[in-house]
Amino acid sequence: MLRVQRMLDCCAELLDEVGYAHLSTTRIAERAGVAIGSVYQFFPDKKAITQALGLRFLDQFATRITDRLAGADRSDWTAVVDAIVDEYVDMHRTVTGFRSLHFGDVVDPQLLDRGADNNRVISVRLRQIIVAHHGLEDGEELDRAVHVSVEAADAVLKLAFRNDPDGDALLVLEAKRLVRSYLRQFSEPAADTAPQ
């Protein structure tokens, strides 16, 4: 519905302008040019609106990665890692509201899903994309590897953007190198790497 999308667009604009602490349903309604009752018809409070925005960002992120991988070599982990990190960095730089909200951690570590941390929700979505792109067999090992990769990349990318609004290019590269190195285990012959 166009009215809901307009509210989400205005929420994103306001997040970049005033931050979550100063965001309100009243401000969103005023910016969207709708009555406050229209906001409450769809969202009980500002947290619900930011949750919807975070889920929209997640869908955009997944679509951008899937589109980028459409023509990529299915055996190349580098292309997958680059696509994920590059699309995250580009969204941070260009998508209104994303740099302020990301996928919701600034609001609630479980904003995207009451039953899971935001990074867990992201790792599940990325694992689905990776399985579809590479034709890999899904399972606990891949699930754990993607989850660890998301957590590690998230930490380094937060560092990259901490003091540089465009993201420190060298730290972005380090995030890629870290994840590529870790995921290399899935593109090489299996070895006994279980802890003793």
Side-chain angles (χ1 to χ4, degrees):
M1 169 177 270
L2 289 176
R3 189 167 32 154
V4 171
Q5 292 309 313
R6 176 72 183 136
M7 291 177 204
L8 294 178
D9 291 342
C10 292
C11 178
E13 292 167 8
L14 287 165
L15 281 168
D16 278 351
E17 292 171 20
V18 302
Y20 183 75
H22 299 290
L23 182 70
S24 70
T25 53
T26 302
R27 280 186 161 174
I28 293 168
E30 289 171 356
R31 176 68 62 96
V34 300
I36 190 70
S38 292
V39 175
Y40 290 132
Q41 180 182 355
F42 299 100
F43 305 107
D45 53 30
K46 72 177 187 177
K47 186 173 180 180
I49 297 173
T50 54
Q51 178 185 41
L53 183 60
L55 290 168
R56 183 171 82 169
F57 286 156
L58 181 59
D59 288 341
Q60 287 176 316
F61 185 53
T63 298
R64 289 169 68 137
I65 294 165
T66 301
D67 290 349
R68 184 164 166 176
L69 292 176
D73 180 353
R74 292 181 173 269
S75 65
D76 184 9
W77 273 107
T78 302
V80 176
V81 173
D82 286 355
I84 292 168
V85 174
D86 289 345
E87 292 304 330
Y88 176 89
V89 169
D90 188 62
M91 285 182 70
H92 200 286
R93 292 174 180 161
T94 64
V95 175
T96 303
F98 188 76
R99 75 171 175 260
S100 301
L101 184 64
H102 301 245
F103 295 111
D105 284 355
V106 296
V107 176
D108 182 339
Q110 293 186 327
L111 184 71
L112 300 177
D113 182 332
R114 280 282 119 226
D117 288 345
N118 296 331
N119 276 351
R120 184 66 177 135
V121 175
I122 295 163
S123 74
V124 168
R125 181 73 71 92
L126 291 177
R127 190 183 82 242
Q128 292 166 347
I129 292 168
I130 290 167
V131 166
H133 179 262
H134 281 288
L136 295 175
E137 184 176 332
D138 203 357
E140 286 183 31
E141 186 179 13
L142 182 62
D143 178 55
R144 184 172 49 254
V146 174
H147 190 197
V148 167
S149 297
V150 166
E151 291 288 351
D154 181 52
V156 177
L157 290 171
K158 281 179 180 168
L159 179 62
F161 282 98
R162 187 174 299 157
N163 297 313
D164 184 341
D166 287 327
D168 181 302
L170 292 176
L171 289 173
V172 170
L173 180 59
E174 288 302 317
K176 289 180 182 181
R177 290 177 60 199
L178 178 76
V179 176
R180 284 179 198 151
S181 176
Y182 176 66
L183 291 179
R184 192 170 293 129
Q185 65 184 304
F186 292 96
S187 61
E188 296 175 348
D192 184 9
T193 56
Q196 300 298 319

